[in-house]
Every structure is written in C-alpha cells, then in structure tokens.
Amino acid sequence: MAVDMRTNLGTLELPAPVLTASGCAGYGRELAPYVELAALGGVVTKSIMRNPRSGRATPRMAETPSGMLNSIGLQGSGVDEFVANDLPWLTEQGCRVIVSVAGGSVEEYAEVAKLLRGQPGLVALEVNISCPNVESRGEVFACDPDAAARVVAGVRAVTAPDVPVLAKLSPDVTDIVPVAQACVGAGADGLSMINTLLGMAIDVDTARPVLAGVTGGLSGPAIRPVAVRCIWQVRAALPEVPILGMGGVRHGVDALELVLAGANAVSVGTAVFGDPGACPRIQAELAEALAARGYARFTDAVSAAHPR
Amino acid sequence: MSVPPRQVPAEVLQLGSAGAYLSLRLRAPELAAFQPGQFAAVAVGGRHTGMVLRRCFSLYAGDPGDGTVEVVFAVHGKGTAWLAELRPGDQVDVVGPLGRPFPLPARPGAAVLVGGGYGSAPLFSLADVLHAAGGEAHLVVGAASADKLFFGEEAWQRCASVTVTTDDGSAGVRGLVTDPLPELIARTGATVLYACGPMAMLAACTAVAREQGITAYTAVEEAMACGVGVCMTCVLPVVGDDGVTRMTRSCTAGPVFAGETVRWADVGTVPTGTWGAGGH
C-alpha cells in the first residue's frame, strides 16, 4: 500500500516531505527542466537580502571527501527583484515557497521580511542566521543565543501570523540546544538544521587556501552524522518543535535517518549539484524505504528512533 | 533551434585516446542535436561515490542520426580518472546540452577559430556549421607540445585552412597560438574570431580581435560544480549591455561570451563597482 507522505511543519501542511535546501536550488527556475517543483514538499529559496550582492571572488568551491566547501558570499539580486520576478514565477508553477531571509543586522532581516509580507505563494520564512553580524565585529548570529533570538523576534514581529518562521541553526556551536531554545523562545515556529560547517582546504602545490574566501561551508554526505546528532539533540530537548532537517541527504534512506532522528520534513541541498533530479528521486526512494519498513504514514517515522 | 537540457542515463559506446586526451562517445539522443559551444555535465564515480560534483565538458561531436555525442577530456583528478576506466556498455548520468552556443555571423564569411589544448574540441562542429552556412573556417590550434594538441583528421576537410602552433616547436610553428592571428585575419578578411581554451589565451585572442577590429566570441573553462545554474561557483566579472559589471555564471550566461564583455584581467576578483559589491 502506498505510504501517506503528507506531513506538516507546525501549521504548514505539506503534501510531501522533501524540499529543496536554501542555496542549492537557486530560485527554482534552473531546476524546472529536470524537476516538477510543485510535486515537492516545497522550494526553499536561496537566501534573500535587502540589496543586490555580488558575492565573493573565485575560486568559490572545492570538492572534498563526500562533500564540498563553498564560499559564495550570498550572491543575489536582492528582495525587490525577487518579489518582482522570481516569487511570482515560483507561485505560477504551483510551488509552496519557503523564502530564506538573510541580513547583516537585525534591522535588515526585519526589513526583508516586511517586504515579503503578504506576497502570494509564500508559505513560510526560513531565517538564515548564519550570517556575520556587521554590528558585532562579524560574529555569526547563529553562534550566540541572544543574537539569534533578536533576529528571530525581529522577523516574527513583522511576518503575518499564519506564516511560520523557521530559524536555521548552525552546527558550529558548543551546544546547539540553548540556541534552539532561544529561537523558539523568541517566537520561531520551527527550526531548520543544519547549516554548513565551517571548513577549509589548502592547495598543497601552491601552499595557499583553495577558496578565495579562505574558509567555506562544508556540506554533502560528510556532514550527515552531524545533522543527525543535532536533530536528535534538539528533538530530545524540544519534543514538539517542528524541525526541517537537512545535511548530506543523497538517498531516500539518508532522509529517513534524519526523520527518525526527529525531522518533520527534509531538505536536499548539495546532492542537487551532482544530480539535478535529486529531490523527486529522494522523495520516491523515501516512500519506498518507509513502505519496506512497514510504515503506513510518513509521520509515523518522525522521531521514531527516540525512546518512548 | 536549441534543444532543452535533459538528464539522461547514457550508454558508453567507446572510449578512445587522442594524443594526451581521451574521447568518450555516448549514446544520448537527447543531446545529439547540440549547438557548437554547448557542454555536458557528467556524474562521476557511481552511485555510492564520495565525489559529489559533476564534471563539465564541451561537446565535441554529435550525430542526431544515430543519437550519439562525444566529449574530450584529460585525466586531471579522481573524477576524470574514473571516466578513463569506463568500458563500452557502462552507463553514465549526463545532463545537457547546457549553456549558450557560439553565435553565428549574420552573413556567411570568413571566421578564425582558435583552440588551445583540447579547448579546440567544440570548434570542429562549429567549423561544420559555418561551412554548411556557406562560410569558411580557418582553424588555429596550439598547445605546449605536439602531444597536447587536439584535432582530428577530419579537421582538414571542414576547414579552409589549418594552422598548428606549439610552444616548443614539436609540431607546426613554434610560438603561441595567437602569433599567426593578425596575419591570418588580414589575409582571410575574417570578421569574427571564435576561441576556446585557457583564460590567458582567451584574453589574448580578445585583444588581437580588438586590434584587428573584429568580434571575438570566447568559450570559458570555469570550474563548475553543477553546470545547471544553481551552485553559483562558476562566476566571472562580465560587463552587461548597461555597462554594469556583474558576477556572471559561465554555465547559464556562457560558456560563450563576447570577448569584449569579459574583464579578463579581473577574473578571480570582484572588481570595484561590480553590481552588489557595495556590501551593507
């Protein structure tokens, strides 16, 4: 019998549990030749900032064992162009659009969220708090519970009450649970985890960093155990909070692992670079993996690895 | 007419050697009608590989009749080493045809085609198309040494002339691939130059074309992680019609750019004044 793949992130109901991951699917358009975007749980956009942004110099990437480093620097066209061109296109395709919001200050996050308010097609915001705080010597918001909470509160205050706000957490912290708790305390309706881990590669021939940005975000299957651990810890501490899990999902069973750890839905990121058809493939593989293990409903597998 | 890109499992028909390079012929009817300058993104390593990114290669030859395409590559690392181990009957996951092709001249005339190393691969199908349109293609291929040249026997038939250069003089004329260009352009009355090869060569070709008062179209070889436009790693500074420099994806806006629009000296940087470079 077919597995019931419906799920929800708090009040947000999704017909299917696999979504794109921020920064790995552009604004959706590029994947349209390969993927029926509306058949996915949703499309999580590349992070949107207030103004156009050039990003960093090249080289911007390095392949690493079972993963990659990237140092894009949030290249993007800014919220005005996104609202004028990209969001309407995604909405026309019938996508459920989760917009990733980024900023260099609490005010910028809130301004972007305000400009997105009331836009048709937008079903949730994901707050990318792994940005350097320009007002605090570049310290990343996600690494400080108070700073993370201020960003979440700022976005929550200007966002329509029926649009969930998810805070995207960084694994690069001593203890992820207090950051998760601070975000939920500040009004986050759910949590996305995990963002990339900070890494670095050196070219041993030139004796120089490979990336122009020196350090970069590590993603891909190499980080999946970190994602499983973070989701597990936060699920154990916050049994009811909706979790959108991501980190190294490449096959259906990888997604299932995150779900068993506590994810209510799963985003697929780096796998899309190697396989533009990864999201629907993984969604189908996940359904098969659930059926093979006797699950009638996707939601029955959520958090199933935790002791009851 | 351009063919929409598709992701397909392609059967390996033949893996051949061509000097220092390998050529891989695949059954992939969806890609066979590509336009010269377009490329394919190939998954490497198999289902459980630790290599998570695609490898991108310009399409060398295609035959819509039998549904085959061919790419040329050199073994640089683990991914291309894996490709070099493929056997007829194996399957590879291929996405293509990708990118924007070489624009064709409005009127048939003489064109100079310049290839560095296996950067010459996309120029042979271009020579065919130019020839079929009533134009003439003058090919110049260069490399560090004879074994690093890439051009097939058939090049002689498709091109009105072929010039070979090597840095060490082991084949053709000793010198850089750009050395013969001014005289060739003047003699043939070429109005357009097409080039594919390393960045420095493309910059030099653009400079020659400018001096000779003709148009240069260059196919760049930027490192790409996905090839389809989502990873944002293959960008370079390109000046738009509005005069503004943008960090532009070579996979979707290229790989072919009008040479004059690329800020060659600034590749690898974000030049001052680039769109969105103001920060906060």
Side-chain angles (χ1 to χ4, degrees):
Chain A
M1 216 183 76
V3 178
D4 180 352
M5 294 294 278
R6 288 174 299 173
T7 187
N8 62 285
L9 290 165
T11 56
L12 174 60
E13 291 177 6
L14 302 174
V18 173
L19 298 82
T20 64
S22 180
C24 300
Y27 303 133
R29 246 183 253 257
E30 294 86 350
L31 290 184
Y34 317 101
V35 175
E36 191 197 340
L37 295 167
L40 301 177
V43 172
V44 184
T45 69
K46 196 168 159 47
S47 288
I48 312 290
M49 303 188 78
R50 176 68 191 89
N51 295 316
R53 204 169 146 107
S54 66
R56 295 206 180 92
T58 55
R60 288 178 168 186
M61 64 102 170
E63 195 177 49
T64 57
S66 290
M68 70 177 288
L69 291 163
N70 88 82
S71 161
I72 309 299
L74 293 169
Q75 178 168 350
S77 47
V79 66
D80 293 337
E81 191 170 319
F82 174 75
V83 167
N85 298 319
D86 302 297
L87 186 54
W89 183 87
L90 281 163
T91 306
E92 272 168 37
Q93 311 306 305
C95 301
R96 286 155 293 281
V97 186
I98 298 180
V99 179
S100 173
V101 173
S105 65
V106 173
E107 290 69 31
E108 184 179 355
Y109 281 98
E111 202 182 343
V112 174
K114 205 182 292 178
L115 290 164
L116 289 165
R117 185 173 177 137
Q119 291 297 329
L122 185 153
V123 300
L125 296 182
E126 182 179 84
V127 191
N128 177 4
I129 53 176
S130 291
C131 298
N133 180 355
V134 294
E135 289 154 3
S136 177
R137 286 167 291 129
E139 193 197 8
V140 175
F141 291 101
C143 292
D144 173 26
D146 293 336
R150 281 197 302 277
V151 172
V152 170
V155 170
R156 185 62 275 177
V158 298
T159 302
D162 60 337
V163 172
V165 171
L166 313 175
K168 185 163 181 178
L169 306 184
S170 167
D172 280 340
V173 291
T174 309
D175 186 353
I176 197 166
V177 170
V179 187
Q181 286 167 329
C183 289
V184 172
D189 305 282
L191 302 168
S192 293
M193 66 182 89
I194 57 175
N195 212 317
T196 56
L197 287 88
L198 197 61
M200 184 172 170
I202 292 172
D203 182 324
V204 294
D205 294 319
T206 62
R208 288 276 167 262
V210 173
L211 300 175
V214 182
T215 59
L218 180 65
S219 63
I223 72 165
R224 198 176 75 238
V226 183
V228 173
R229 182 268 295 175
C230 289
I231 294 166
W232 172 276
Q233 289 178 329
V234 170
R235 172 55 73 223
L238 299 165
E240 302 302 328
V241 72
I243 294 176
L244 175 57
M246 70 278 296
V249 172
R250 193 171 185 187
H251 300 293
V253 288
D254 306 338
L256 179 57
E257 193 181 5
L258 269 57
V259 170
L260 295 171
N264 302 86
V266 174
S267 277
V268 175
T270 302
V272 172
F273 297 164
D275 176 8
C279 290
R281 173 181 57 76
I282 290 167
Q283 194 159 275
E285 288 172 355
L286 175 58
E288 283 171 32
L290 289 164
R293 287 158 183 78
Y295 292 101
R297 294 174 303 192
F298 168 83
T299 49
D300 292 342
V302 174
S303 304
H306 288 263
R308 289 160 197 260
Chain B
M1 209 184 74
S2 70
V3 187
R6 297 277 302 277
Q7 179 178 14
V8 294
E11 182 194 350
V12 174
L13 297 174
Q14 193 182 15
L15 184 76
S17 76
Y21 308 112
L22 293 161
S23 67
L24 179 64
R25 201 156 69 89
L26 302 167
R27 185 175 310 286
E30 296 83 354
L31 279 70
F34 72 89
Q35 291 177 287
Q38 291 192 294
F39 66 96
V42 183
V44 296
R47 178 175 156 87
H48 294 289
T49 178
M51 293 182 279
V52 298
L53 306 179
R54 283 191 180 244
R55 307 300 192 258
C56 295
F57 307 102
S58 62
L59 288 157
Y60 162 54
D63 185 342
D66 67 3
T68 62
V69 291
E70 198 165 342
V71 297
V72 178
F73 66 98
V75 174
H76 279 308
K78 282 184 291 186
T80 42
W82 182 84
L83 287 175
E85 297 291 314
L86 288 171
R87 293 288 171 267
D90 289 347
Q91 275 205 344
V92 285
D93 186 292
V94 177
V95 178
L98 294 164
R100 295 193 179 174
F102 289 111
L104 300 179
R107 284 190 306 277
V112 171
L113 283 55
V114 190
Y118 68 119
S120 57
L123 301 179
F124 301 104
S125 61
L126 176 63
D128 275 348
V129 170
L130 293 171
H131 182 74
E136 56 182 54
H138 297 271
L139 181 69
V140 185
V141 291
S145 54
D147 62 318
K148 298 275 170 48
L149 288 167
F150 177 78
F151 67 107
E153 300 283 319
E154 65 275 39
W156 299 92
Q157 297 155 22
R158 298 172 188 178
C159 300
S161 74
V162 177
T163 308
V164 176
T165 70
T166 49
D167 298 358
D168 65 358
S170 55
V173 184
R174 181 194 296 268
L176 297 177
V177 75
T178 43
D179 295 344
L181 296 182
E183 188 274 328
L184 183 63
I185 293 166
R187 176 160 52 84
T188 60
T191 55
V192 56
L193 178 152
Y194 299 99
C196 183
M199 289 284 180
M201 188 205 99
L202 300 181
C205 286
T206 301
V208 170
R210 184 192 309 122
E211 285 156 17
Q212 301 294 318
I214 70 171
T215 306
Y217 293 110
T218 54
V220 302
E221 297 175 340
E222 262 292 337
M224 298 175 186
C226 74
V228 302
V230 292
C231 78
M232 306 301 289
T233 64
C234 63
V235 297
L236 67 175
V238 175
V239 182
D241 293 338
D242 55 4
V244 177
T245 300
R246 290 177 177 78
M247 297 303 281
T248 305
R249 286 171 287 184
S250 55
C251 62
T252 51
V256 177
F257 294 98
E260 285 292 339
T261 66
V262 179
R263 294 181 61 170
W264 299 106
D266 299 316
V267 170
T269 73
V270 180
T272 306
T274 297
W275 189 70
H280 294 286

